[in-house]
C-alpha cells in the first residue's frame, strides 16, 4: 500500500498534481495504461483510491478533447464530411457509456482495491507471452523457402512486430 491515501483532489497542491500529470508520459510505453499509471501516481501522492481515479479521469479530458478536435479537422481537410455524422454519433455514444463506466468505477473504488486489476494484467501478460513464444516455435518449426515465407510470415510479422526472429533475414 502506498502512503496514507487520505487526501482528496482539492487537498493536493500543484507539485503533486504536476507529478501525477508527468506520470502520463509512462503511458507511451506499449502496454502501460495512462489511467492506470496516473492512478498509481495519485496513490503515491496519498490520494484516496477513488480520488486518484477521479483525478486521472479529469487529466484525460484535454487529451480526449484534443484528439477529437484533431480528428474533426482531419475529416474536414480530407473532404470526408459525410463521416462527420458517424464521428459525432460515435462521440456521443462513447461519452454516454464512458460517463456511466466512470461513475460506477469510482463507486467501486470507494470500497474495493485495485488488486484485481493488477492480477488481471499479470495473468493476461503471462498468457500472452506464453502464446507468443509458443506461436514463434510453431511458426518456425518448419523450414520455409524464401518464396513460401514471403506468403505466410509477413502476416505474423505485421501482427506481432519485433516478436519473431526470422532466420533468413528481412523478407519484407
Amino acid at each position: 500500500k502506498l502512503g496514507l491515501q487520505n487526501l482528496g483532489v482539492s487537498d493536493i497542491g500543484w507539485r503533486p498534481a504536476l507529478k501525477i500529470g508527468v506520470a502520463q508520459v509512462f503511458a507511451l510505453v506499449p502496454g502501460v495504461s495512462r489511467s492506470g499509471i496516473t492512478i498509481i501516481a495519485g496513490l503515491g501522492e496519498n490520494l484516496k483510491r477513488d480520488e486518484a481515479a477521479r483525478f486521472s479521469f479529469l487529466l484525460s479530458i484535454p487529451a480526449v478533447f484534443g484528439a477529437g478536435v484533431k480528428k474533426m479537422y482531419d475529416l474536414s481537410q480530407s473532404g470526408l464530411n459525410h463521416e462527420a455524422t458517424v464521428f459525432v454519433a460515435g462521440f456521443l455514444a462513447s461519452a454516454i457509456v464512458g460517463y456511466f463506466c466512470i461513475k460506477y468505477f469510482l463507486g467501486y473504488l470507494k470500497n474495493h482495491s485495485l488488486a484485481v486489476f493488477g492480477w488481471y494484467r499479470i495473468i493476461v501478460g503471462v498468457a500472452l507471452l506464453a502464446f507468443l513464444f509458443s506461436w514463434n516455435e510453431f511458426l518456425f518449426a518448419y523450414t520455409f523457402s524464401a518464396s513460401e515465407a514471403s506468403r505466410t510470415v509477413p502476416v505474423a510479422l505485421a501482427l506481432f512486430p519485433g516478436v519473431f526472429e526470422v532466420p533468413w533475414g528481412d523478407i519484407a
Side-chain angles (χ1 to χ4, degrees):
K1 193 170 186 178
L2 298 172
L4 298 173
Q5 300 172 347
N6 59 358
L7 300 177
V9 171
S10 60
D11 298 327
I12 63 171
W14 69 271
R15 284 191 176 131
L18 182 64
K19 289 177 189 176
I20 297 167
V22 169
Q24 292 181 97
V25 170
F26 291 105
L28 294 173
V29 175
V32 175
S33 163
R34 188 210 61 80
S35 58
I37 197 69
T38 54
I39 290 171
I40 290 170
L43 293 174
E45 293 298 324
N46 297 325
L47 285 174
K48 295 181 245 179
R49 276 190 311 266
D50 59 322
E51 292 290 318
R54 183 169 162 251
F55 191 73
S56 173
F57 293 129
L58 289 172
L59 279 175
S60 73
I61 292 171
V64 171
F65 180 76
V69 169
K70 169 92 169 68
K71 185 64 173 177
M72 287 300 287
Y73 175 77
D74 291 346
L75 285 173
S76 69
Q77 295 301 308
S78 67
L80 298 176
N81 292 330
H82 65 279
E83 288 187 16
T85 305
V86 174
F87 178 78
V88 170
F91 173 80
L92 290 174
S94 66
I96 292 166
V97 170
Y99 170 79
F100 286 107
C101 286
I102 291 170
K103 177 183 174 183
Y104 291 110
F105 181 64
L106 292 177
Y108 172 86
L109 288 180
K110 286 184 180 181
N111 301 315
H112 299 88
S113 119
L114 290 165
V116 67
F117 299 102
W119 284 110
Y120 159 77
R121 299 238 345 159
I122 291 168
I123 291 167
V124 169
V126 169
L128 182 61
L129 287 174
F131 169 76
L132 291 176
F133 287 122
S134 67
W135 182 256
N136 188 13
E137 293 298 321
F138 170 75
L139 189 61
F140 296 110
Y142 304 97
T143 305
F144 292 112
S145 69
S147 63
E148 290 171 334
S150 66
R151 289 192 310 268
T152 58
V153 177
V155 173
L157 293 174
L159 291 174
F160 307 108
V163 172
F164 298 102
E165 295 176 21
V166 182
W168 50 81
D170 187 18
I171 60 170

